[in-house]
Amino acid sequence: MSEERTPPEGADDGDGSTPDPAATPDPAATPNPAATPAPDPGATPDPAPGRSPHGAHGRPSTPRDKWHAFRESPYFPATVLLFILAAAAGLFAGSYTYAMANPTPHRIPAAVIGTPASPRGTAFVTGMEKALDTSLVLHEYDSMAEADEALQEQRVFTILRADNDRVHLDVAAASGASVAQLLAEAGEKVGKAVGVPVTVRDVKPLQPGDPRGLALFYISLAAVILGFVGAIQLSVHARTLVPAERILFTVAHALLGGFAIAAVVDWGLGALDLPFVQSWLILAFTMFTCAMVFTMFNTLVGRWAMLPTWGVMVLLGNPSSGGAVSWPLLPSLLGHIGRWLPPGASVNAQHTAVYYQGHQFLFPYLVLAAWALVSCAVFWTWRHRHPGGRPKEPEHAAAPG
């Protein structure tokens, strides 16, 4: 018997070729048909590529399922914002157009020296009421000094006095440029119509750098807008501030912002000669109040806080502030509401600080203080609901070694 020998590794097969180890099948790698599980005839087949089964149990999606999926998608808040922004744009344009596009006088307080019992005086007053399509609310004073005091305290907007040959009409542009212009133009027309010579005099003119009387409105508007915009930025970029830190940074932001506004308008542009410290503090007070109003709404309604803030400060507050259009020319409701809102209080305080130093009012400061205190109290009471702050560390956490 011949003994079969295995050729050594690397030896050829006699034809000069070396066997390829990779060509030798591996018994372990050879599939075993018996080990492959047979398909289950009762199993649900996999869906075709690119398709998914309908529902968890193969049922088609219902409208409720589709609505739930839409609510959980990013398209839902984006769609809501589309309609909110469109409504805000329309309301913004409508509120300012309604209040400012066509100012109409309603009731204008006027001081009268004595009683305009002369035919010329009576004819002039009657002609003024017809020309203005309003009623002059006449307040009689015995002397020019008393009437001037009422004008300085802004209880009246004009002083009427009649001589034997003419009527004198004193206006105060500082009390409201739009009202003073309206009264002066109407007075000259009425005088010509009734044949009464009229002398118009501006006894409280505006500063030369602000002939339209709009600069005070603009600086107050800047304080209002930058006040709550600053609070928004703090909530986004300094989210982890705790409540006390947030209030302190809001105070710092208001002081610096108010200083910048006053410095640019007074020192930089020379548009107004401000009582600098007082105007600066009024602007800072306004910025702080508006910032805390947003913070309050952010505590109460979270990410939708911009809506009530924008509504109170911009849609309602600024048009009714009396800065661009004086209160006697605003729609009656806006004229009353505006004084109780931060923008109107800011304009009022700034106005008396610049033009009526000896006749300051406490009311606008009380309005700003009330809004600020209520906002701070709400924020502090429900501070746990505010989306900012730092997470508390567990009390049992081990101290670092």
Side-chain angles (χ1 to χ4, degrees):
M1 296 179 60
S2 62
E3 185 178 342
E4 184 177 352
R5 295 181 180 179
T6 302
E9 185 178 357
D12 56 14
D13 294 334
D15 56 359
S17 63
T18 303
D20 185 2
T24 305
D26 185 1
T30 304
N32 185 3
T36 303
D40 184 2
T44 303
D46 292 338
R51 299 179 63 185
S52 58
H54 296 286
H57 302 286
R59 60 178 175 79
S61 299
T62 63
R64 185 174 182 179
D65 294 333
K66 293 179 180 179
W67 171 248
H68 179 74
F70 176 67
R71 286 287 302 270
E72 297 299 324
S73 72
Y75 304 115
F76 176 71
T79 303
V80 172
L81 283 175
L82 287 179
F83 290 100
I84 290 177
L85 293 175
L91 290 173
F92 181 81
S95 64
Y96 279 72
T97 303
Y98 173 68
M100 302 181 183
N102 186 24
T104 303
H106 297 281
R107 295 171 62 85
I108 301 178
V112 177
I113 308 299
T115 303
S118 65
R120 288 187 173 186
T122 303
F124 180 79
V125 171
T126 303
M128 286 288 288
E129 291 183 346
K130 290 181 179 179
L132 298 175
D133 193 22
T134 184
S135 60
L136 290 174
V137 183
L138 300 179
H139 300 272
E140 297 182 9
Y141 294 93
D142 295 331
S143 66
M144 184 63 188
E146 293 179 356
D148 184 68
E149 181 69 16
L151 188 70
Q152 295 292 332
E153 293 182 355
Q154 303 179 69
R155 299 198 304 268
V156 298
F157 283 82
T158 184
I159 300 175
L160 294 169
R161 65 184 190 277
D163 293 338
N164 294 329
D165 58 345
R166 68 177 48 245
V167 171
H168 299 271
L169 180 65
D170 293 346
V171 298
S175 295
S178 51
V179 175
Q181 180 181 359
L182 186 69
L183 289 171
E185 293 175 353
E188 293 177 352
K189 292 179 181 179
V190 170
K192 293 178 181 179
V194 299
V196 178
V198 178
T199 300
V200 179
R201 184 178 59 151
D202 189 354
V203 296
K204 200 72 175 177
L206 294 164
Q207 295 186 11
D210 183 29
R212 302 295 299 172
L214 295 176
L216 293 180
F217 172 68
Y218 292 147
I219 65 174
S220 298
L221 178 64
V224 169
I225 300 295
L226 271 299
F228 67 78
V229 167
I232 294 172
Q233 294 304 305
L234 280 178
S235 67
V236 173
H237 300 290
R239 188 182 183 88
T240 57
L241 290 175
V242 298
E245 295 170 343
R246 188 173 299 276
I247 293 176
L248 289 176
F249 272 94
T250 301
V251 171
H253 147 245
L255 288 172
L256 288 176
F259 180 86
I261 295 172
V264 168
V265 172
D266 190 343
W267 301 343
L269 300 177
L272 289 171
D273 183 15
L274 299 173
F276 192 85
V277 174
Q278 185 177 3
S279 291
W280 167 27
L281 294 180
I282 293 172
L283 292 169
F285 199 0
T286 303
M287 292 185 73
F288 175 78
T289 300
C290 296
M292 292 310 302
V293 167
F294 171 82
T295 305
M296 173 185 67
F297 286 130
N298 198 21
T299 303
L300 296 177
V301 297
R303 61 180 177 176
W304 301 109
M306 183 63 181
L307 296 181
T309 305
W310 183 264
V312 171
M313 299 299 173
V314 178
L315 294 184
L316 187 60
N318 283 326
S320 64
S321 66
V325 176
S326 298
W327 284 319
L329 304 185
L330 289 173
S332 298
L333 182 61
L334 288 181
H336 290 293
I337 291 176
R339 307 166 193 243
W340 295 89
L341 298 177
S346 179
V347 169
N348 194 0
Q350 203 70 252
H351 185 78
T352 55
V354 174
Y355 289 108
Y356 298 93
Q357 270 291 319
H359 302 272
Q360 295 287 307
F361 294 117
L362 186 60
F363 179 74
Y365 300 96
L366 293 177
V367 171
L368 290 173
W371 279 90
L373 288 174
V374 170
S375 300
C376 289
V378 171
F379 168 56
W380 192 263
T381 302
W382 286 281
R383 58 189 179 276
H384 59 280
R385 296 185 54 180
H386 192 273
R390 291 188 289 274
K392 295 182 179 180
E393 297 182 359
E395 296 181 359
H396 61 274

